[in-house]
Amino acid sequence: MAGRMARLILATAEGQQAIELRPINSLGRHPNNTIQLLDKIVSKEHCILEQRDGHFILRDLGSLNGTYVNGERVRGETLLKHGDEIALGSTRARYDDGSGVAPPPPPVGPGAVQHGPAMGMPGMPGPGGWPSPGPMAAAPPLPPMRPPQQSYPYSGPTAPPQPVHAPNRPPSISGTRVDVLDAARAIGTQIAAQTKGFQPFDSVGHDPQQLRVDYERLRITWELTRDIGLERDLDKLTDKILLALFKFTKADRGVILLREGDGQLTPRAARRRDGSESPIQVSSTILNHVIKERAGVLTHDASMDFAASKGKSMILNRISSAMVVPLLHENEKEVLGVLWLDSESLAQFQPKDLEVITGVAGQVAMFIENTMLSKRVEQEIVLRDRFSRLVAPNVAEQMMSGKLEVKKGGMLVKELSIFNSDIRGFTQMSEGTDAEVIVEMLNDYFEPMVETLFKYEGTLDKFMGDGIMAFWGAPLAHPDDAIRCVQCALDQMDVLGRFNRDRMAQGKPPLAVGIGIHTGPGVVGYVGSSKALSYTVIGDTANTSARLCATALAGQIVVSEATLARLGNRFEFEEIEARSLKGKEKPMRRFNVVREKPSAVAKVG
């Protein structure tokens, strides 16, 4: 065959549709067919069009109502010729081999397809070729179809299966309970629909009623798209979506399910056309299929189309027509949710409904994705703020950008300079003073102290009553961390002097502070439970720093010999009486740092 690819030109209630054929094409009512035909008279798996040696063979799959080519029922297989007319149920089609040659006129004589108004439909094939503006070619007489109310074979239990819920799932949405029934079962491979419901104006311009219906579909969808762009509340939006979809579809029930943090689908909105609050039951068979294949399902007869999956809830809960689409935005790896519409009546939805709702689902998925992104940004802002309260702002920035890794758990740091300070006489000061006054005083005191600490890129460990614990050397280390730590202590003493002058001007007593600093190894990391972690340092160096602080008099900055060895010739100091500290075998040498030497050039900050 030369020219374009072979095509099957279908004629349905939605108009004419040309579908390029694959090497193997399955036709039938079930969604897993290559070409899904929404025709109640068509079987679930009706026939196959298969390419062999450059030609297409049509093979009937034992369909109940048969497949007809040029009016003759196909028994087994038949070779298709250019222009052949095919009838499946109420669906008509013409085979185009892609040669570009006008198809021959339909056969005449006994058994030939008759043209006339019996099954007429504008835009369908006529005697002069394909297509023609005249009435559609009538199909040969078909075997009687099943009565619409015929009961379907069902051998399951008489009582519906128990709902399968995620743990702690909310039982209702606005008073309407939503149950997900059936166990998960594979139902075949979903092939994306190739046909489109919205046809060019030239194909439908003759039908004002169809144009009116299509216009309403698109108008309501446009309004809904606008609302999606303006709404900020997810629950309000999902309610609006169902309300809008009910205006142009024949759905009796609608549910929007979203994937929560635990990965389970949870109902977020539900609506019944009758306004009742009776439970809405959806089928996990269809839900799992839509999620797995990441494609929508449109079925005219769910209980039959999915009978092989043993989805009993579709029969027991009278789910006949169903239209189910995933909430999937562009190249998302994970389905964010599912939009479910169903009806107790057969054949209530059209392909163009599926097209519109798939578009809406994409908009909703984008909204959800943006909402999730917004929440992540908010969480990052909160996290950044918390880090900024824990460490110096420039250190927090490196941690948040990923340049500086803070590992969960502890890690040994070979050298830390650890700072401890507390207020002298704080216990006596607190006695007889209202707690609110004490808390206010501490907050006023801590504010400039921590600001000074961050100025020198120290890491705040914790507040202990009136005490402050901080350290240098993690998560960011500098070669002059000990100098930074001592310089910070000196600056804090200056800040305390200004703080006390303000207090005395208000008739309040001044505060006296002692500071202890020790340098050595320590384990730094997150300590606590999975729900509450604290970034801290533990080890002998931290304990020694705290004990040096306890020996410091008001206004003293007591450092250990290990710290002094790293200060070079930068500060003036005096050695004070050695003290025995808990855990130490002999008295420990102590040094009081008095001031920075006038000749020293400050390079810290």
Side-chain angles (χ1 to χ4, degrees):
M1 290 182 292
R4 58 179 181 239
M5 294 180 62
R7 302 183 301 166
L8 192 66
I9 303 176
L10 285 170
T12 69
E14 298 297 314
Q16 178 182 312
Q17 300 158 2
I19 303 172
E20 291 187 348
L21 295 175
R22 305 179 182 189
I24 298 178
N25 308 267
S26 60
L27 283 74
R29 198 178 66 245
H30 197 282
N32 70 350
N33 286 285
T34 308
I35 302 173
Q36 182 187 10
L37 302 176
L38 298 177
D39 185 331
K40 290 183 290 183
I41 309 176
V42 169
S43 298
K44 286 188 299 180
E45 289 83 23
H46 199 100
C47 65
I48 295 284
L49 269 66
E50 180 179 353
Q51 189 175 29
R52 297 181 195 166
D53 301 325
H55 301 280
F56 273 90
I57 304 294
L58 185 149
R59 182 170 73 255
D60 185 79
L61 298 177
S63 58
L64 178 64
N65 292 317
T67 305
Y68 292 78
V69 175
N70 298 327
E72 295 290 336
R73 183 162 185 167
V74 176
R75 307 291 180 181
E77 296 182 350
T78 186
L79 174 67
L80 290 178
K81 300 182 295 297
H82 183 58
D84 278 352
E85 294 184 17
I86 305 170
L88 306 86
S90 299
T91 303
R92 301 296 178 265
R94 184 182 289 276
Y95 171 67
D96 177 359
D97 66 6
S99 62
V101 178
V108 178
V113 178
Q114 301 298 313
H115 297 278
M119 298 199 52
M121 186 179 297
M124 296 308 300
W130 183 273
S132 165
M136 180 183 114
L142 298 176
M145 64 179 287
R146 290 177 303 188
Q149 302 303 319
Q150 179 177 337
S151 61
Y152 302 125
Y154 172 58
S155 58
T158 56
Q162 293 299 311
V164 179
H165 291 293
N168 302 320
R169 174 171 292 173
S172 65
I173 302 295
S174 303
T176 302
R177 193 175 82 245
V178 178
D179 296 332
V180 181
L181 303 177
D182 294 335
R185 295 179 175 90
I187 58 175
T189 303
Q190 171 71 24
I191 305 298
Q194 299 182 35
T195 59
K196 298 295 180 183
F198 288 95
Q199 301 301 310
F201 177 80
D202 291 344
S203 300
V204 296
H206 60 275
D207 190 346
Q209 178 60 30
Q210 186 63 55
L211 289 175
R212 185 177 297 108
V213 172
D214 286 348
Y215 173 80
E216 280 301 295
R217 280 190 179 99
L218 297 177
R219 181 187 66 80
I220 294 170
T221 306
W222 178 84
E223 291 180 352
L224 184 55
T225 302
R226 180 192 59 192
D227 288 343
I228 292 173
L230 297 175
E231 185 58 68
R232 291 294 176 266
D233 186 292
L234 183 58
D235 290 322
K236 289 182 180 178
L237 176 63
T238 50
D239 286 335
K240 284 183 179 179
I241 290 168
L242 290 181
L243 179 61
L245 297 183
F246 272 46
K247 291 180 180 178
F248 69 85
T249 69
K250 297 179 180 179
D252 294 326
R253 298 166 293 224
V255 179
I256 295 178
L257 304 100
L258 301 182
R259 196 181 294 280
E260 300 295 340
D262 60 0
Q264 298 291 332
L265 285 177
T266 301
R268 289 295 291 266
R271 176 175 290 272
R272 278 182 167 275
R273 186 173 294 278
D274 60 14
S276 71
E277 295 184 353
S278 302
I280 298 177
Q281 297 172 325
V282 299
S283 167
S284 66
T285 302
I286 298 179
L287 288 181
N288 290 329
H289 176 68
V290 168
I291 293 171
K292 178 183 176 183
E293 304 300 338
R294 299 159 59 88
V297 163
L298 171 57
T299 173
H300 275 350
D301 189 349
S303 60
M304 290 301 295
D305 290 347
F306 294 93
S309 316
K310 305 189 186 305
K312 301 179 179 64
S313 70
M314 287 175 277
I315 301 172
L316 296 170
N317 299 296
R318 296 180 295 182
I319 301 173
S320 295
S321 304
M323 186 161 45
V324 188
V325 297
L327 301 183
L328 191 66
H329 177 52
E330 293 182 354
N331 296 321
E332 281 281 341
K333 294 182 179 180
E334 186 179 68
V335 174
L336 302 176
V338 173
L339 194 162
W340 172 288
L341 297 173
D342 73 39
S343 172
E344 295 182 6
S345 302
L346 298 172
Q348 292 300 295
F349 304 113
Q350 299 183 28
K352 62 183 62 178
D353 291 332
L354 182 63
E355 287 185 52
V356 170
I357 291 176
T358 299
V360 170
Q363 292 287 321
V364 176
M366 182 172 63
F367 173 88
I368 295 172
E369 185 181 35
N370 290 340
T371 301
M372 293 167 61
L373 178 61
S374 176
K375 288 181 178 179
R376 284 197 295 267
V377 170
E378 290 175 3
Q379 291 171 352
E380 183 174 324
I381 291 173
V382 171
L383 186 59
R384 188 185 299 271
D385 181 65
R386 289 174 179 172
F387 270 129
S388 297
R389 296 172 188 270
L390 179 68
V391 297
N394 63 328
V395 178
E397 185 64 34
Q398 292 192 56
M399 294 165 71
M400 294 301 298
S401 65
K403 295 178 181 178
L404 184 62
E405 183 180 8
V406 181
K407 295 182 178 179
K408 185 177 180 179
M411 65 181 211
L412 178 66
V413 178
K414 292 183 178 180
E415 186 171 300
L416 298 165
S417 289
I418 302 180
F419 166 107
N420 274 276
S421 71
D422 59 26
I423 300 172
R424 298 292 174 258
F426 180 75
T427 302
Q428 292 83 354
M429 183 187 304
S430 301
E431 292 177 356
T433 304
D434 290 342
E436 292 84 356
V437 175
I438 293 297
V439 170
E440 182 180 3
M441 182 271 292
L442 285 176
N443 286 335
D444 291 342
Y445 162 72
F446 285 144
E447 189 70 32
M449 296 297 109
V450 172
E451 184 178 345
T452 306
L453 190 154
F454 286 167
K455 173 184 175 183
Y456 291 93
E457 298 187 356
T459 299
L460 176 64
D461 189 308
K462 63 176 72 72
F463 298 109
M464 300 170 292
D466 61 310
I468 299 173
M469 180 177 175
F471 54 92
W472 278 255
L476 197 62
H478 304 89
D480 59 346
D481 278 328
I483 293 174
R484 290 170 183 256
C485 181
V486 172
Q487 186 67 62
C488 173
L490 286 169
D491 277 16
Q492 283 188 341
M493 288 299 185
D494 291 340
V495 169
L496 179 64
R498 293 192 294 272
F499 180 79
N500 281 332
R501 285 192 290 274
D502 290 341
R503 282 182 61 80
M504 289 186 289
Q506 301 172 35
K508 300 176 182 178
L511 302 183
V513 174
I515 297 173
I517 299 173
H518 181 47
T519 301
V523 176
V524 180
Y526 285 106
V527 176
S529 72
S530 59
K531 298 186 182 298
L533 292 172
S534 175
Y535 188 65
T536 187
V537 58
I538 57 177
D540 181 67
T541 303
N543 297 335
T544 301
S545 169
R547 287 161 190 159
L548 285 173
C549 175
T551 69
L553 301 177
Q556 283 188 333
I557 301 171
V558 178
V559 302
S560 67
E561 190 174 7
T563 300
L564 185 69
R566 290 160 177 78
L567 300 181
N569 198 33
R570 189 183 187 93
F571 303 98
E572 293 181 5
F573 62 89
E574 60 183 6
E575 186 169 2
I576 56 180
E577 180 185 2
R579 283 286 184 92
S580 295
L581 302 180
K582 183 178 179 180
K584 303 299 178 181
E585 293 182 1
K586 57 183 180 179
M588 189 173 187
R589 295 181 69 186
R590 300 182 303 147
F591 303 86
N592 176 36
V593 178
V594 179
R595 66 180 65 86
E596 185 179 15
K597 288 184 177 180
S599 59
V601 179
K603 296 182 180 180
V604 180

